[in-house]
Amino acid sequence: MQQLNQLRQHLREHSYRYYVLDDPILSDADYDALFQQLLSLEKQYPNMITADSPSQRVGAQPLAEFQQITHRLPMLSLDNIFNEQGLQDFDRRVHERLLLAHEIPIHYVCEPKLDGIAVSLIYEAGQLVCAATRGDGQVGEDITQNMRTIHSLPLVLRGDDYPAWLEVRGEVFISKAGFAALNQKALEGGDKVFANARNAAAGSLRQLDPKITAARPLEMICYALGFVEGAPLAQTHSETMALLKNWGLRVNPISQLCVGVIECQQYYQKLCETRADFPYEMDGVVCKVDRFVQQQTLGFIARAPRWAIAYKFPAQEGITQLERVEFQVGRTGVITPVARLTPVKIGGVTVSNATLHNEDEITRLGIAVGDQVVIYRAGDVIPKIERLFRRGETRQPIVFPQQCPECHGRLERSETEAAIRCSAGLACPAQLKETLKHFASRKAMNIDGLGDKLIEQFIAQGLVKQISDLYQLTLDQLTGLERMAEKSANNLLIALEKSKTTQWPKFLYALGIREVGEATAFNLAEYFENMEALMAADEQQLLAIPDVGPIVAQHILIFFQQPQNCQMIQQLLAAGIRWPRIEKTVGKKPLQGKLFVLTGSLTQLTREQAKQQLQALGAQVSDSLSKKNHYLVVGENAGSKLTKAQALGITILTEAEFTQLLNHS
Ligand code: 5U1
């Protein structure tokens, strides 16, 4: 046993030197020989195999599905800036919020923003016990089995000074070389190639069989802590990164402490010029306020922190020929011209399609088929045609269709927007297909296994003419389809059944109301307790909801005025779709009878949200302070109420204490 443990420890140390310190002292062959030694010893003594052994990276069993994981702290995204002015503005806002004079430079840490997938890792007692995707920021998917296959990720932390419960966040990615090799292998095997390294990384993490993931060249670099139990580990981000590195986690060696915004700009400039020399794709620089007390004071806005920003690299350009233009019909019937291009490599990615947005855009660009055009690509954004580069020798004008290219329905041009739409609604197979795709998507009803090809077959065979038909599908119908074995058909029926138990905001989002994205659906669901209340809402009520402006309100009103939409909702509910009722006012009310006053500005919630949450817990919120009050919640720049509350002996809560109270009530 001792020999086994020593061998494992050696292997871990060599991995650490190789992946984290970038300073190996063993050749690959020597490392392999050690690893083989471990395998043969473990074969001899199988009952001595431990889950944290370097040999146990690939789990034995594929999963049936990914479990959901609720993050103990939300996984935030970052706001973007695109130029030096944006950086200056960010720095000014930081100074203002910290009440610091502009001359006092802030300590920032700058690091590359990798173009990958954000992941959370949990180490309990130093053992990797859980890994999850970001998901919607609140709830992600359990990808522990897959993350264990990443060799640069320690299954056990080094040392003994780590906290009992440690959450670490970072980016999973595939290097440029790894991506090229992966696509080469796919080509040789006759498989589909990946469009870019980010998609390849995302697809690799979403494999139910960890053996597939293990064959993908995934890497991870850590960049933040999540929830940590116990006393703060350090005072700054840079100290924290040093701790993570000591514990065996890979952090970015080129991150840099920058004193003041000028140094941040210099860092950005240098990285922008040299980014092609790095082994992985990056799409910008992340600038973070280094000191945690300052981060805390700055707080968050919506889903992004005020103490960090993503400073994106400029888009990359390339020149190629416009071969033809096709017209696609979207979920809401909008006809979008799509340019088919002679494939061209831009920033390491092959681009062969670009959006042309609408008819006005084609006119503005003045382009024709056969022209040489300049393509613009910015990170994840769909490439677009920037401008005409050179007219082709033979040119064919781009002619916008007079009727829907899919169903030959009548086209309508709206008075308020440049879009042209097919008027056929769900009678148009393209709109039906996109509607079903949206309905089944992960953030909506999350119907596993209901992919594009299957939806196309349903529509072609006339099995699904409207959303609710999905829930009437039978095993016989499914097994009659191309490439649909009984097992897959059964799995789909199970997934459909499972999707019937959903959540109110998800169902609302799944309905596909124009301009109602995930966040708006969430806000609507917070405000309107049920479908009846939402359907009965008037414009004024809708406008009171965060995120809902006059246009969105109109779309919601129009949606519910259309009888076919109301009928669709009825049919879906009749099919058994349901969600747990969120009890707002009945049941346990832990703050019943408590009288609160809020003062100053809160960073994590708006006043209104704080008020609503308190009311939901049974508390009352008043504007003026008297001795009847139990609590005063103090945000930033609190005024005279604070002194008055102190004089009256009222309990004063900081924002952090208030958040804790809400979370634990
Ligand atoms: N390098 C780096 N990337 N990145 C992405 N740092 C970093 N921090 C992030 C994200 C989303 O979020 C912070 C709010 C922790």
Side-chain angles (χ1 to χ4, degrees), residues 445 496-503 576-580:
M445 303 301 280
L496 279 161
E497 196 54 38
K498 201 174 145 207
S499 75
K500 288 182 185 171
T501 306
T502 182
Q503 284 156 18
I577 290 180
R578 61 200 170 266
W579 50 86

Side-chain angles (χ1 to χ4, degrees), residues 38 52 110 128 136 144 194 204 242 286 323 347 387 421 426 440 489 496 515 592 623 625 627 632:
L38 174 70
D52 61 9
C110 289
L128 176 66
D136 62 6
T144 315
F194 293 99
S204 305
V286 180
E323 290 187 350
R387 60 182 183 275
R421 286 171 202 276
L426 293 190
L496 279 161
E515 304 286 341
Q592 187 82 50
D623 287 331
L625 193 71
K627 60 175 189 290
L632 177 74

Side-chain angles (χ1 to χ4, degrees), residues 445 502-511 531 572 577 579:
M445 303 301 280
T502 182
Q503 284 156 18
W504 170 214
K506 287 188 186 263
F507 181 66
L508 200 45
Y509 171 67
L511 293 178
M531 186 59 85
L572 288 171
I577 290 180
W579 50 86

Side-chain angles (χ1 to χ4, degrees), residues 381-394:
V381 183
I382 304 168
K384 59 178 248 182
I385 296 187
E386 181 67 5
R387 60 182 183 275
L388 173 67
F389 179 68
R390 189 182 298 133
R391 285 166 167 257
E393 281 171 16
T394 53

